[in-house]
Amino acid sequence: MLKTISLIIIASLSPSAIGKIHFAKQIIEARFSITHPVIEANLLSPKQKQLVLIGEDKQKNRLLAVYNQQTDGRYKYFSEVKIPQSFLSIDRLTTKSGHKIIFHSNSQLLEYSPDNNQFLKIADVSSIYLKSKADYLSTRNFSKDINGDGLDDILIFDFKKIHLFIQQESGHFFQQSLEILPKIQQNDDSATYLEKQLYHADLNGDQKVDLITVIDDGLLIYPQNQQGAFLQQPVKIQLPINVSARNWWEIRGADGESADQSALSHRTIDKIVDINNDKVPDLLVRLSMSEGVLDRQNDYEIYSGKINNGITSFSAKPDSIIQSDGTSIELKLIDLDGDNHFELMLQSLDIGISQIIGALISGSIDQDVDIFKMDENSLFDEDSNVNKEVDLKFSLSSGKSGAPVVQVEDFNGDGLKDLMFSSGKKKLKIYLGTTRKRLFKRRPVKHKVLLPADGNYLETRDLNKDGKQDIIIRYGRQDEEALKNKVVILISQ
């Protein structure tokens, strides 16, 4: 059996004089290039922690390697297996006793068994994914807790239905199918089938999570029954808001052309979640507006939910509006102080003519990060409480852009979220959270570490379950070739 060479180095980084936080550094060196996000899992027992690396060797073999955490916190090589080319996607499944690494082929669901280093069939399936093999193994979120019982279920889209594999306490699955079509985009000579966005929230006030799809100007709710499955017949909610079930770029006119961007106003539902902790889900709606390709804005509207006659209703006007000066990239819900009231973090870009010219000269463009905190009336002010800028790098020669590191996590275990940014190629800045109006300390704690060109290759996990977030770094195509088989782990001390 092929073995992976593991090199682990422990090095403590000096803490800053203004903050009580530093990291112990470990390096895992695999014998193959790591191509996927590192998976943290409990594969062997609830008390044993593992890291799972997915990658490709020089012979183009797909490989899965497991590293087991030792009592001193180090990770040691445990096993390695070749991933069949017929596997199309991978995900992690949470069970009552730990985790499983599961795969989806065009006809089967399978799980990796670390005990015998083999792949075992979970079930036969049919889906919209018909290829017998794919160019790459996709990281797809087909494992999720659909009914809110704390156990991950499996969701598979077919051409006419969705298939739910609902996990039971025993670890077995109960299968159910619902007549929910995938998203279908018609073109002149083809049709594209995409997974439809599904939402999970209690919209009928019975303390059970329902399954929800969006239709034009409304919602279809599939209520959960006593067995943890969902009713076949949906309940329709007509919304007083002009929302669309499709993104604006997916809509075609009678002539087959896409939407006119010179006068665009389009609403889609981004999230259905209880933002203000009143036990009733709220709507987070994305409003896309433009008066041309370079004059575009994405705002977010928040509609608070109210229970009326056993169903959640929403007002016709938003309770709060979150605005950006440019094109928003992502809106995240974060809870800075653990009070179960969400703050909103908006990342956006200003892509006007002057910004584009400056970016072409410098090879970077400023990305704005704004954080909005809810007031005592559960409303958000139009001005953000925190505003920071980070550089988004790009290369004209390769056509690749390097996303900055933007993370909001608790790194020192004080119960308050901290704000972490990348600064250049070799520095992280961490602004420690406070209970004051300012939300974060003015001066950051700084740590030197070689960062990936794409900030999405840096992730945070609490690896040793001490209440402090740790950092996992891998490297990609824009980084040096010698780094692609390495994982850097920073354990918060």
Side-chain angles (χ1 to χ4, degrees):
M1 182 182 69
L2 295 173
K3 292 186 177 180
T4 300
I5 300 173
S6 174
L7 173 64
I8 302 180
I9 301 172
I10 303 295
S12 178
L13 301 178
S14 299
S16 168
I18 62 170
K20 296 180 180 179
I21 180 172
H22 64 286
F23 296 97
K25 182 169 120 177
Q26 306 179 22
I27 298 177
I28 295 177
E29 185 174 326
R31 73 167 189 88
F32 54 82
S33 295
I34 300 163
T35 56
H36 288 59
V38 177
I39 302 173
E40 177 204 3
N42 303 103
L43 299 178
L44 303 175
S45 74
K47 294 183 178 181
Q48 280 189 296
K49 316 292 182 183
Q50 292 82 40
L51 293 182
V52 180
L53 309 185
I54 307 294
E56 185 180 71
D57 63 14
K58 293 181 180 179
Q59 288 73 43
K60 302 299 182 181
N61 295 310
R62 296 176 186 167
L63 299 170
L64 179 154
V66 178
Y67 288 80
N68 202 18
Q69 191 178 51
Q70 308 300 296
T71 55
D72 60 0
R74 301 185 179 194
Y75 288 92
K76 183 180 179 180
Y77 169 81
F78 177 78
S79 64
E80 181 178 300
V81 67
K82 183 178 177 180
I83 301 174
Q85 292 291 320
S86 60
F87 290 5
L88 306 179
S89 57
I90 182 174
D91 202 358
R92 188 190 76 168
L93 178 90
T94 298
T95 71
K96 192 174 182 179
S97 59
H99 302 110
K100 294 181 179 181
I101 305 300
I102 61 173
F103 296 86
H104 180 208
S105 73
N106 67 346
S107 61
Q108 290 182 333
L109 288 170
L110 305 103
E111 66 174 275
Y112 167 66
S113 172
D115 295 327
N116 54 21
N117 214 31
Q118 294 181 354
F119 299 99
L120 308 177
K121 186 177 77 169
I122 299 174
D124 294 315
V125 295
S126 59
S127 73
I128 60 175
Y129 302 97
L130 299 180
K131 297 187 70 173
S132 58
K133 63 179 182 178
D135 294 333
Y136 72 103
L137 181 71
S138 67
T139 302
R140 190 162 53 83
N141 188 21
F142 59 95
S143 167
K144 61 191 72 178
D145 183 6
I146 297 173
N147 58 5
D149 63 357
L151 301 172
D152 278 352
D153 312 299
I154 300 175
L155 170 64
I156 302 296
F157 268 88
D158 205 345
F159 290 100
K160 293 185 177 181
K161 296 180 180 180
I162 63 168
H163 304 291
L164 305 177
F165 294 83
I166 300 172
Q167 188 178 167
Q168 309 297 296
E169 288 284 333
S170 63
H172 296 92
F173 294 91
F174 165 76
Q175 184 176 353
Q176 179 188 20
S177 298
L178 296 174
E179 293 187 358
I180 298 177
L181 295 175
K183 183 185 292 186
I184 306 171
Q185 292 180 216
Q186 180 180 330
N187 305 304
D188 287 340
D189 55 358
S190 65
T192 303
Y193 291 81
L194 305 170
E195 293 189 6
K196 181 177 291 185
Q197 177 67 52
L198 299 178
Y199 302 86
H200 315 277
D202 176 17
L203 288 183
N204 59 5
D206 64 355
Q207 311 305 310
K208 294 183 177 63
V209 175
D210 307 313
L211 190 64
I212 307 159
T213 65
V214 177
I215 58 176
D216 289 340
D217 299 331
L219 305 172
L220 291 181
I221 305 169
Y222 295 82
Q224 186 181 155
N225 62 23
Q226 297 295 327
Q227 289 72 43
F230 300 91
L231 301 184
Q232 293 285 342
Q233 189 64 36
V235 177
K236 181 178 179 180
I237 293 182
Q238 189 72 29
L239 296 175
I241 314 160
N242 183 24
V243 297
S244 175
R246 294 178 291 171
N247 296 306
W248 63 264
W249 59 85
E250 297 171 334
I251 299 174
R252 298 288 186 268
D255 56 0
E257 297 293 330
S258 57
D260 182 3
Q261 296 184 49
S262 65
L264 177 68
S265 179
H266 187 82
R267 285 181 172 86
T268 54
I269 292 179
D270 188 270
K271 294 177 175 65
I272 304 177
V273 64
D274 181 10
I275 296 175
N276 56 6
N277 195 33
D278 65 352
K279 312 305 179 186
V280 182
D282 309 305
L283 290 184
L284 187 58
V285 174
R286 181 182 176 111
L287 172 59
S288 300
M289 297 177 292
S290 74
E291 295 180 358
V293 175
L294 296 179
D295 188 4
R296 183 176 298 168
Q297 182 173 334
N298 295 300
D299 296 341
Y300 289 88
E301 300 173 333
I302 299 169
Y303 299 81
S304 297
K306 305 293 180 184
I307 288 287
N308 291 314
N309 299 320
I311 203 72
T312 302
S313 64
F314 305 92
S315 63
K317 293 184 178 180
D319 297 275
S320 298
I321 299 177
I322 303 296
Q323 295 181 321
S324 65
D325 293 331
T327 300
S328 63
I329 300 174
E330 184 178 17
L331 184 72
K332 290 183 179 180
L333 302 179
I334 55 178
D335 184 1
L336 293 178
D337 51 11
D339 64 353
N340 294 320
H341 288 75
F342 282 113
E343 285 76 40
L344 305 179
M345 183 173 73
L346 178 64
Q347 297 172 242
S348 60
L349 292 173
D350 189 349
I351 54 172
I353 293 293
S354 60
Q355 286 76 19
I356 291 176
I357 294 174
L360 293 175
I361 295 173
S362 65
S364 68
I365 189 170
D366 289 337
Q367 177 176 312
D368 288 312
V369 178
D370 291 279
I371 295 179
F372 300 82
K373 185 174 177 61
M374 188 181 297
D375 64 19
E376 61 275 7
N377 297 315
S378 298
L379 301 175
F380 293 93
D381 192 77
E382 60 181 15
D383 296 322
S384 63
N385 299 82
V386 176
N387 174 261
K388 299 285 185 181
E389 286 187 351
V390 289
D391 283 342
L392 187 152
K393 301 288 185 181
F394 64 90
S395 170
L396 290 175
S397 59
S398 66
K400 300 287 185 180
S401 63
V405 173
V406 180
Q407 295 279 351
V408 179
E409 297 290 353
D410 182 6
F411 294 100
N412 60 359
D414 63 354
L416 301 173
K417 295 291 196 304
D418 312 307
L419 183 59
M420 182 173 70
F421 292 136
S422 53
S423 178
K425 297 180 179 179
K426 297 182 179 180
K427 187 184 296 181
L428 288 172
K429 292 182 177 180
I430 301 177
Y431 296 85
L432 298 178
T434 73
T435 56
R436 301 175 182 176
K437 184 178 180 180
R438 186 175 178 82
L439 300 183
F440 301 100
K441 289 186 176 181
R442 186 184 299 273
R443 296 178 59 194
V445 180
K446 300 176 182 179
H447 291 292
K448 289 185 178 180
V449 64
L450 182 60
L451 299 173
D454 187 342
N456 294 316
Y457 282 51
L458 183 150
E459 300 176 274
T460 59
R461 300 280 191 278
D462 185 2
L463 295 174
N464 54 6
K465 307 305 177 187
D466 64 352
K468 303 175 185 179
Q469 287 290 306
D470 310 305
I471 297 172
I472 302 174
I473 299 174
R474 62 187 177 96
Y475 301 93
R477 184 176 296 184
Q478 300 179 68
D479 301 299
E480 295 182 13
E481 187 68 29
L483 297 171
K484 293 181 181 179
N485 68 327
K486 294 179 175 62
V487 173
V488 177
I489 303 170
L490 302 178
I491 303 294
S492 182
Q493 302 292 289

